[in-house]
Amino acid sequence: GNSVTQMEGPVTLSEEAFLTINCTYTATGYPSLFWYVQYPGEGLQLLLKATKADDKGSNKGFEATYRKETTSFHLEKGSVQVSDSAVYFCALTMLYNQGGKLIFGQGTELSVKP
Amino acid sequence: DTGVSQDPRHKITKRGQNVTFRCDPISEHNRLYWYRQTLGQGPEFLTYFQNEAQLEKSRLLSDRFSAERPKGSFSTLEIQRTEQGDSAMYLCASSSYRGRVEKLFFGSGTQLSVL
């Protein structure tokens, strides 16, 4: 079946460090890919998305590129801030008209220290 | 704040009791989703509505679970004869579907603990 695998957390970084959170997927077909973020005490929020191969999603300094050849959608940020501390979820959807039916990874907790 | 709201935030119940959760989506959103999230895992899809019609239910949604969205506005999720395995965070999300890839807006969830 379709699935998403993320790197295990927690990830602890110092402020201004470079961030990579790995995400790989298994899908029969061509999914759309997403990163959602969950700040403490808040609901999940869409961070960025990519709908076809080689698309790059970006938002708030975060980027992820849809790599069909490696079935990956790794999240990167050049310089993290304490305010980026949150849980990050990679997700996919298979059906264009059921884009809200998401398959999530297990989440990766990020903790940024000053 | 006009985001997705869920009520209650926390619910503690005894095994065998029935519980009901409510979700109020963003007012102009036509789609509403329910997800379940257990500790250390990502959310799992349960069911979704387009307006008042329930379009799909996951096999995770046993016959003890029922969801409604009367009049296409708020939604309720009821669990009958709760079991300890039902303990989880229940998330609601809504979107404005216009035939494109959707952006979901999530509520903060209802944390259910079954004792």
Side-chain angles (χ1 to χ4, degrees):
Chain A
N2 302 320
S3 66
V4 175
T5 302
Q6 294 181 229
M7 66 186 284
E8 298 248 349
V11 173
T12 302
L13 295 174
S14 297
E15 205 165 22
E16 299 183 1
F18 184 85
L19 168 71
T20 300
I21 299 178
N22 290 338
C23 170
T24 57
Y25 67 88
T26 301
T28 53
Y30 303 100
S32 295
L33 301 172
F34 305 83
W35 278 99
Y36 276 80
V37 58
Q38 187 171 32
Y39 298 104
E42 300 184 14
L44 282 88
Q45 303 173 26
L46 178 64
L47 181 60
L48 53 84
K49 70 178 189 291
T51 58
K52 61 182 187 296
D54 300 325
D55 268 3
K56 178 186 282 187
S58 61
N59 187 26
K60 298 182 181 179
F62 291 89
E63 293 183 339
T65 301
Y66 187 163
R67 301 283 188 202
K68 183 182 164 193
E69 64 276 13
T70 54
T71 62
S72 65
F73 193 54
H74 304 321
L75 182 68
E76 296 182 337
K77 187 175 185 183
S79 176
V80 293
Q81 306 300 312
V82 172
S83 57
D84 293 326
S85 298
V87 182
Y88 293 80
F89 292 92
C90 186
L92 67 81
T93 185
M94 287 308 301
L95 299 174
Y96 190 78
N97 65 349
Q98 290 187 25
K101 185 183 172 185
L102 295 160
I103 296 170
F104 285 89
Q106 76 272 30
T108 302
E109 182 179 0
L110 171 66
S111 178
V112 180
K113 306 298 184 185
Chain B
D1 186 288
T2 57
V4 177
S5 62
Q6 293 187 245
D7 183 70
R9 290 295 301 271
H10 304 275
K11 178 70 176 178
I12 300 173
T13 191
K14 293 182 179 178
R15 186 165 51 94
Q17 298 294 305
N18 299 342
V19 294
T20 300
F21 311 139
R22 177 180 170 121
C23 171
D24 287 273
I26 293 172
S27 60
E28 67 269 23
H29 284 182
N30 56 352
R31 283 195 170 177
L32 186 148
Y33 295 79
W34 285 99
Y35 283 80
R36 180 171 68 189
Q37 184 178 16
T38 53
L39 195 62
Q41 301 299 315
E44 295 175 298
F45 169 81
L46 293 178
T47 188
Y48 86 101
F49 295 82
Q50 180 156 313
N51 300 313
E52 66 275 10
Q54 188 173 17
L55 296 188
E56 186 169 345
K57 293 194 295 185
S58 164
R59 65 180 185 278
L60 294 175
L61 213 65
S62 77
D63 56 8
R64 296 185 296 106
F65 288 71
S66 61
E68 295 183 340
R69 193 184 182 198
K71 304 178 183 178
S73 56
F74 72 92
S75 176
T76 58
L77 177 67
E78 181 183 17
I79 309 174
Q80 296 183 325
R81 306 181 303 281
T82 52
E83 300 173 357
Q84 289 185 326
D86 297 331
S87 297
M89 177 75 82
Y90 291 83
L91 301 173
C92 177
S94 68
S95 74
S96 179
Y97 175 65
R98 294 191 177 90
R100 299 175 64 88
V101 176
E102 298 169 64
K103 177 179 179 179
L104 263 61
F105 293 80
F106 281 84
S108 298
T110 294
Q111 180 68 54
L112 173 66
S113 297
V114 181
L115 304 178

